[in-house]
Amino acid sequence: MTDIAAFDTKTFSAVDKYIVDKLVEHDHVLDDILKRSNEAGLPAINVSAAQGKMLYLLAKIQGARRILEVGTLAGYSAVWMARALPKDGKLVTLEFEEKHAAVARESLKNAGFEHCTELHVGPAAESMRKMIESKVAPFDMIFIDADKESYSDYFDLALKLARSGTQIISDNIVRSGEILDPNSPDPRGHGIRAFLDKVAACKTVESTGIQTAGSKGYDGFALSVVL
Ligand code: SAH
Ligand code: DHB
Ligand code: MG
């Protein structure tokens, strides 16, 4: 029996590397996004390669034609998901920081997705409200990954941009176990707890939460499907 103390972040990263080396094909376009993101001084809070491929596979399983992402950063997860789209598919991604959006625009262009992606710069909740008002077609898959304090709002708005069968994936619901602490000084932890309360009370979705360990440490995601 392996000692539990062996399961530290070093082991998480080593196992993640082992898995990614085996199952996730090496990719210069995606590597280049992370390189440019780092050079531009953006935080390295993109999903991991293994998680990116999971988003890609979930989009494929769904047969997603319209994908919405809340929180673009450098476009790493956006490119993973866009790769699962059919020729006439579309990905809309929302980002608050113009500096991040500039890096992401280049990422989407380099990956060949300029024609099928829309990057809206501004507060994501505002962009979502505008899409609701203009009655855009529902999204098949929605990935929530922006500021944790607003996850509850994003979830409400996501439901208005969804249809029966839409999957909603929400990143960072564990935060190294911080979500267990109702007295955490970090508002992000409270944001996730409020979000999970909302999801739990929502009668129009079925949901679960999965803990993850890997190169991005100990975290997790929620998966919901709209009934
Ligand atoms: N999905 C990306 C990572 C997103 S990091 C990936 O895995 O590659 C979270 C992003 O959300 C950051 O770029 C941050 O600037 C953005 N963000 C924070 N608050 C926001 C808001 N109110 N509206 C839109 N984007 C926001
Ligand atoms: C943070 C945000 C993320 O979306 C993530 O995956 C990891 C960390 C953060 O704000 O610290
Ligand atoms: Mg995240």
Side-chain angles (χ1 to χ4, degrees), residues 45-47 51 143-146 148 151 170-172 219-220:
I45 54 175
N46 50 278
V47 295
Q51 289 163 343
F143 179 46
I144 299 178
D145 193 24
K148 313 309 161 198
Y151 265 38
S170 307
D171 198 24
N172 311 117
D219 214 319

Side-chain angles (χ1 to χ4, degrees), residues 8-148:
D8 56 15
T9 52
K10 243 176 94 184
T11 310
F12 295 163
S13 282
V15 173
D16 210 356
K17 183 177 183 318
Y18 180 80
I19 290 170
V20 169
D21 285 349
K22 278 202 186 303
L23 302 179
V24 183
E25 34 294 307
H26 198 79
D27 190 307
H28 294 292
V29 173
L30 289 163
D31 285 350
D32 182 64
I33 296 175
L34 298 183
K35 183 165 169 277
R36 287 186 305 101
S37 181
N38 185 46
E39 283 166 3
L42 272 48
I45 54 175
N46 50 278
V47 295
S48 70
Q51 289 163 343
K53 184 144 183 202
M54 183 194 75
L55 291 171
Y56 161 84
L57 290 170
L58 286 172
K60 277 206 138 175
I61 293 165
Q62 178 97 6
R65 310 179 74 82
R66 286 177 55 78
I67 300 175
L68 173 64
E69 175 176 67
V70 185
T72 317
L73 192 64
Y76 183 77
S77 51
V79 167
W80 267 115
M81 291 187 286
R83 284 184 172 174
L85 286 172
K87 270 203 172 64
D88 58 346
K90 182 169 218 174
L91 178 137
V92 177
T93 183
L94 313 177
E95 174 56 51
F96 180 68
E97 300 284 349
E98 176 49 48
K99 185 181 165 186
H100 299 184
V103 177
R105 249 179 239 117
E106 187 78 11
S107 302
L108 292 165
K109 189 171 151 224
N110 293 347
F113 295 127
E114 213 176 8
H115 64 288
C116 63
T117 52
E118 269 177 35
L119 174 51
H120 298 193
V121 183
E126 244 173 62
S127 301
M128 292 169 90
R129 276 187 210 106
K130 273 187 201 145
M131 285 192 283
I132 294 163
E133 274 165 31
S134 59
K135 296 190 162 59
V136 297
F139 292 94
D140 308 307
M141 174 175 181
I142 302 176
F143 179 46
I144 299 178
D145 193 24
D147 52 314
K148 313 309 161 198

